[in-house]
Amino acid sequence: MAQINKSTDYFDISTWTATTSAISNLGFSPDWVWIKSTDSANGHILFDTIRGANERLSSASSAAESTRTDELMSFDSNGYTLGSSGNTNDTNPFNASYVGWSWRGSDSSAVSNTDGSITSTVSANTTSGFSIVSYTGTGSNATVGHGLGVAPSWIVIKGRNQTEDWTTYHISTGNTKNVILNSTAVPDTSTTYWQDTSPTSSVFYLGSSTRPNTSGGTYIAYCFAEKTGFSKFGSYIANNDDGNGPFIYTGFKPAFVMIKGSTSTSTYKSWCMFDTTRQPFNVNAGKTLYANKDYPEGQRGQGTVSATIPAIDMLSNGFKIKVFNDEVNNGTNTFIYMAFAEAPLVGSNGVTAKAK
């Protein structure tokens, strides 16, 4: 199996302004692109190669998939093409700045997968532990093949043809709970999400909930398996310390970290997004975005500017919380996280990795 010695061969981050017509600085052809305006309330928009370049979803909304021919025009060999500057779209209007997070899936066409009771269409990259899965719901207990060859630690699912919340499995919240991506809510518990059964090396489980499994509903799932030196999915317990919060070991310097409170009773439980492209120096603060909100950088998850904004340090072997804050370090609550590497300490084969 191929090894990951250079993180940007599989995940990378781009920024641009409204005068940009194409992103062409990636070292791969992306299969999943997540875009957000950094200085306006233009929404999060997500595109992938299975659904097609013109088909958009929003992480901050329960809305069904919509077709837009003026936003992401094509997936290219080293990036993607954007709609014309000034169009009434969410990728390139006048006088706006943007960030795009990109993941590499399969280097060939998506394939049919019959590992589960539901036949799925899968674009999988087993080296980086990422797959895109399309399937049609049955309304009853079922399994779906994901193509990774190892059990995923994070699965994000959205109904394409219906208005319904996002459904999320995370290894740290377990197989009895769903964490809603477009919400501040703490995880809710029901056997109807995952049948109280963890994903295996070949399939993930679906219950009868209409969120991930309406009969006849079409769905897209983004699946991630943890890979040494490249990705990490876990949780930490807050210590309520302002300036000396928990340190989280990942085994690499993160390029991207997303954090969500999973037990907090606070009103601030948004999905906080940090990266080293928009904020290359520590402390990484003041540029937080929220997966469940369309706010620009620097606003809290409830939409108000605050002196105690989320703040973390991106370190060579992990990240450290730098503030007492409801969204990342409150009480003794538990927070889940998702992290992707800028530079690993070692490659996934255990040898010294190449620089970014």
Side-chain angles (χ1 to χ4, degrees):
M1 180 182 293
Q3 307 294 334
I4 299 176
N5 290 326
K6 187 178 180 183
S7 301
T8 51
D9 286 343
Y10 298 92
F11 168 75
D12 210 350
I13 304 167
S14 305
T15 56
W16 67 90
T17 61
T19 57
T20 302
S21 61
I23 302 303
S24 57
N25 62 342
L26 301 180
F28 56 92
S29 179
D31 289 273
W32 187 32
V33 176
W34 182 333
I35 295 172
K36 175 67 179 81
S37 169
T38 58
D39 57 2
S40 76
N42 288 328
H44 292 265
I45 46 177
L46 286 64
F47 304 91
D48 64 69
T49 53
I50 287 186
R51 294 183 298 116
N54 297 146
E55 306 304 320
R56 56 120 77 174
L57 291 166
S58 172
S59 65
S61 172
S62 62
E65 177 183 280
S66 61
T67 301
R68 291 290 297 265
T69 59
D70 59 351
E71 293 187 330
L72 193 143
M73 310 300 288
S74 65
F75 294 95
D76 306 328
S77 61
N78 59 354
Y80 43 93
T81 299
L82 300 164
S84 299
S85 176
N87 284 351
T88 55
N89 60 50
D90 280 340
T91 61
N92 222 13
F94 286 129
N95 303 318
S97 298
Y98 281 84
V99 61
W101 303 284
S102 300
W103 286 263
R104 174 182 175 183
S106 174
D107 292 331
S108 57
S109 300
V111 299
S112 178
N113 183 301
T114 58
D115 290 341
S117 61
I118 296 174
T119 297
S120 56
T121 300
V122 176
S123 171
N125 192 307
T126 56
T127 301
S128 64
F130 169 59
S131 69
I132 305 171
V133 180
S134 175
Y135 66 92
T136 300
T138 63
S140 57
N141 288 354
T143 55
V144 180
H146 54 68
L148 292 176
V150 293
S153 297
W154 186 37
I155 304 173
V156 183
I157 300 175
K158 179 67 180 75
R160 299 174 57 185
N161 62 348
Q162 67 264 28
T163 298
E164 189 60 84
D165 289 329
W166 290 75
T167 306
T168 302
Y169 165 85
H170 191 283
I171 190 170
S172 295
T173 52
N175 59 33
T176 65
K177 297 183 184 298
N178 165 47
V179 196
I180 303 172
L181 183 63
N182 55 295
S183 172
T184 61
V186 295
D188 59 321
T189 302
S190 175
T191 191
T192 63
Y193 292 123
W194 318 111
Q195 299 184 52
D196 293 357
T197 307
S198 299
T200 71
S201 61
S202 58
V203 301
F204 59 87
Y205 289 76
L206 296 175
S208 58
S209 169
T210 57
R211 284 178 181 163
N213 195 18
T214 295
S215 179
T218 55
Y219 291 88
I220 199 75
Y222 306 108
C223 304
F224 294 87
E226 190 171 293
K227 292 292 179 176
T228 301
F230 175 72
S231 60
K232 188 75 173 175
F233 309 93
S235 64
Y236 64 88
I237 297 175
N239 67 5
N240 225 30
D241 193 317
D242 193 10
N244 189 28
F247 166 73
I248 297 88
Y249 178 83
T250 60
F252 52 80
K253 180 181 180 181
F256 172 93
V257 174
M258 183 154 64
I259 297 171
K260 169 74 171 74
S262 61
T263 59
S264 176
T265 57
S266 165
T267 57
Y268 301 107
K269 299 185 291 290
S270 288
W271 298 75
C272 304
M273 307 173 79
F274 308 86
D275 68 68
T276 57
T277 299
R278 293 179 298 119
Q279 179 68 294
F281 306 108
N282 290 326
V283 174
N284 198 308
K287 292 184 178 293
T288 310
L289 292 169
Y290 299 91
N292 58 295
K293 299 288 185 180
D294 291 334
Y295 307 137
E297 292 175 340
Q299 288 191 353
R300 293 194 67 180
Q302 297 299 105
T304 57
V305 177
S306 171
T308 56
I309 56 176
I312 67 175
D313 276 350
M314 301 289 207
L315 306 174
S316 63
N317 58 351
F319 61 96
K320 183 175 177 61
I321 310 302
K322 297 293 290 183
V323 69
F324 160 60
N325 171 274
D326 290 338
E327 292 160 338
V328 296
N329 189 23
N330 173 260
T332 56
N333 292 297
T334 299
F335 293 80
I336 59 173
Y337 69 86
M338 293 62 64
F340 296 91
E342 174 182 302
L345 294 175
V346 296
S348 57
N349 57 353
V351 302
T352 301
K354 299 176 183 178
K356 180 180 178 181

